[in-house]
């Protein structure tokens, strides 16, 4: 039972991060004038929503409930996405992309922390690894866009 509480707590923490990412990408899509970036941001926002649903289903398998649709109020990642909102107000794509990179790096770090405890999360390790890979791929794509705009 104690194990289930830890699993549910860890997964809820990841859901908070995914929701932060979803909201951040939605805000970024509204702030940029680039049609290409709008599409990219909306794609990753939808991806984060899908990841959160997968984890919510897994929480249910462990007897938990996650009705949280919002990000973490006090989390580091929330502050990171607030930085994105600040970057958004400048409407500069490079600033927006840089802020998103910071958020994605923080998300990967959170996934890495949960993945370290592979015995606790053995039954859903593949889901977590797949999601971490998706976030890493998004980070690489965002970095590529930023580098292209800087040069």
């Amino acid at each position: 039972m104690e194990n289930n509480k830890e699993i549910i707590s860890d997964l809820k923490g990841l859901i908070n991060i995914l929701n932060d990412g979803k909201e951040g990408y939605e805000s970024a899509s509204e702030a940029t004038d680039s049609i290409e970036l709008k599409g990219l941001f909306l794609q990753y926002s939808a991806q984060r929503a899908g990841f959160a649903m997968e984890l919510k289903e897994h929480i249910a398998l462990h007897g938990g409930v996650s009705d949280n649709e919002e990000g973490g109020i006090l989390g580091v990642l929330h502050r990171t996405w607030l930085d994105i909102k600040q970057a958004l107000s400048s409407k500069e794509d490079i600033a927006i992309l840089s802020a998103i990179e910071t958020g994605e790096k923080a998300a990967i770090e959170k996934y890495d922390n949960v993945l370290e405890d592979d015995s606790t999360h053995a039954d859903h390790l593949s889901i977590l690894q797949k999601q971490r890979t998706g976030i890493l791929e998004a980070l690489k794509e965002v970095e590529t866009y930023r580098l292209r705009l800087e040069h």
Side-chain angles (χ1 to χ4, degrees):
M1 202 61 184
E2 193 58 43
N3 203 18
N4 267 355
K5 281 184 183 171
E6 185 180 344
I7 289 169
I8 290 166
S9 172
D10 285 349
L11 294 181
K12 282 185 177 182
L14 292 178
I15 288 170
N16 285 342
I17 282 173
L18 292 167
N19 286 334
D20 282 340
K22 177 177 73 87
E23 293 167 20
Y25 275 120
E26 282 174 10
S27 298
S29 75
E30 293 164 10
T32 184
D33 292 327
S34 164
I35 298 298
E36 189 177 10
L37 287 178
K38 274 185 194 298
L40 182 75
F41 296 155
L42 289 173
Q43 171 192 333
Y44 287 133
S45 176
Q47 180 193 55
R48 295 307 180 280
F51 286 174
M53 285 307 301
E54 283 181 324
L55 295 184
K56 286 177 185 180
E57 289 168 9
H58 213 79
I59 285 174
L61 291 175
H62 286 276
V65 177
S66 178
D67 52 6
N68 177 15
E69 293 299 331
E70 296 178 359
I73 299 304
L74 300 173
V76 172
L77 207 57
H78 183 72
R79 285 190 293 279
T80 300
W81 287 107
L82 289 178
D83 292 344
I84 289 174
K85 287 189 174 146
Q86 200 167 10
L88 297 178
S89 64
S90 74
K91 287 221 171 237
E92 289 181 34
D93 287 341
I94 290 173
I96 294 168
L97 291 164
S98 294
I100 288 173
E101 284 177 46
T102 304
E104 294 295 51
K105 286 175 184 170
I108 288 169
E109 191 177 311
K110 181 78 172 170
Y111 268 81
D112 287 345
N113 290 340
V114 171
L115 285 164
E116 278 177 13
D117 192 1
D118 56 358
S119 61
T120 299
H121 296 285
D123 73 323
H124 49 274
L125 220 44
S126 63
I127 293 171
L128 297 180
Q129 288 166 335
K130 176 187 67 93
Q131 291 185 356
R132 183 196 181 278
T133 299
I135 293 169
L136 183 61
E137 288 168 355
L139 171 61
K140 287 179 180 174
E141 191 164 8
V142 166
E143 285 173 340
T144 301
Y145 272 95
R146 181 185 48 78
L147 290 170
R148 220 170 51 204
L149 289 174
E150 285 178 346
H151 298 293

